[in-house]
Amino acid sequence: MHTFTYCPKCATPLQEAFIENRDRQQCPACSWIHYRNPLPVTIAYACNQDGELLVIRRAHPPAENEWALPGGFIETGETPEEGCLRELQEETSLEGNVEGLIGAYHRENEMYGSLLVVAYKVIVHTPEIRINHEVHEAGFYHPDALPNIRIPLHNQIISDAESLVSPGSLR
């Protein structure tokens, strides 16, 4: 996570201060406060019409070469749902519709710091996977035959999604 040395408003060196019951950086000249907020991330629990789950093998850190659910950072100006569908399309060329919210999770990550992760169930309506540079491989798998997913949050999302799913829809 980026730590400021100087105030982004007036360039005065920042000082540590205890504000609103937390240690924060504050500018002594203009009183600007650096609030360390989590980065917004979205993840797609993407299923095809046969009920198979899409998983990807990541090509870059964090979790390089690990099997995972597709996802990434939500960008300014887009809703979490739009970000979810954009990330799915960027990584796999697949398009779909958000069927429902699975959950929101907080995680700490060595590379990015604090993350707020929003996971959605997506029903994919395009059949052909074409991966981009972020992915080594991708495919749809029956829930009983998934590759070994070792990212704890992704396993939690899969478990949470399965507990929400009734035949054909989220409850």
Side-chain angles (χ1 to χ4, degrees):
M1 170 161 217
H2 177 59
T3 301
F4 289 96
T5 303
Y6 298 95
C7 176
K9 289 178 67 178
C10 71
T12 301
L14 295 174
Q15 297 177 347
E16 291 294 322
F18 193 72
I19 301 168
E20 300 165 347
N21 297 315
R22 292 182 186 259
D23 290 323
R24 304 185 193 276
Q25 293 176 302
Q26 182 177 31
C27 178
C30 73
S31 299
W32 178 84
I33 300 169
H34 179 208
Y35 291 95
R36 294 176 181 100
N37 298 319
L39 293 171
V41 174
T42 187
I43 292 182
Y45 177 93
C47 297
N48 63 15
Q49 299 299 325
D50 296 327
E52 297 170 314
L53 179 62
L54 175 70
V55 293
I56 63 167
R57 194 163 60 86
R58 298 171 57 94
H60 301 287
E64 184 175 4
N65 288 317
E66 294 292 339
W67 287 98
L69 300 172
F73 292 106
I74 300 167
E75 295 185 5
T76 299
E78 67 184 2
T79 66
E81 295 91 341
E82 290 167 343
C84 182
L85 295 175
R86 176 187 49 76
E87 285 289 341
L88 176 66
Q89 198 279 328
E90 285 178 1
E91 292 179 0
T92 65
S93 298
L94 295 171
E95 295 180 0
N97 296 317
V98 170
E99 186 173 287
L101 174 68
I102 295 169
Y105 311 83
H106 178 262
R107 290 294 181 272
E108 292 292 329
N109 175 286
E110 284 185 31
M111 188 171 190
Y112 295 110
S114 181
L115 303 174
L116 175 62
V117 181
V118 183
Y120 293 99
K121 181 173 183 187
V122 175
I123 301 300
V124 173
H125 54 75
T126 54
E128 187 179 340
I129 298 172
R130 290 187 313 274
I131 59 174
N132 75 356
H133 66 92
E134 298 175 75
V135 178
H136 281 308
E137 59 184 300
F140 284 100
Y141 294 86
H142 187 275
D144 295 332
L146 292 174
N148 185 19
I149 298 172
R150 299 186 317 171
I151 302 169
L153 175 59
H154 292 223
N155 281 313
Q156 182 177 355
I157 291 167
I158 292 168
S159 176
D160 290 351
E162 290 171 352
S163 69
L164 293 172
V165 174
S166 60
S169 67
L170 288 177
R171 282 189 223 148

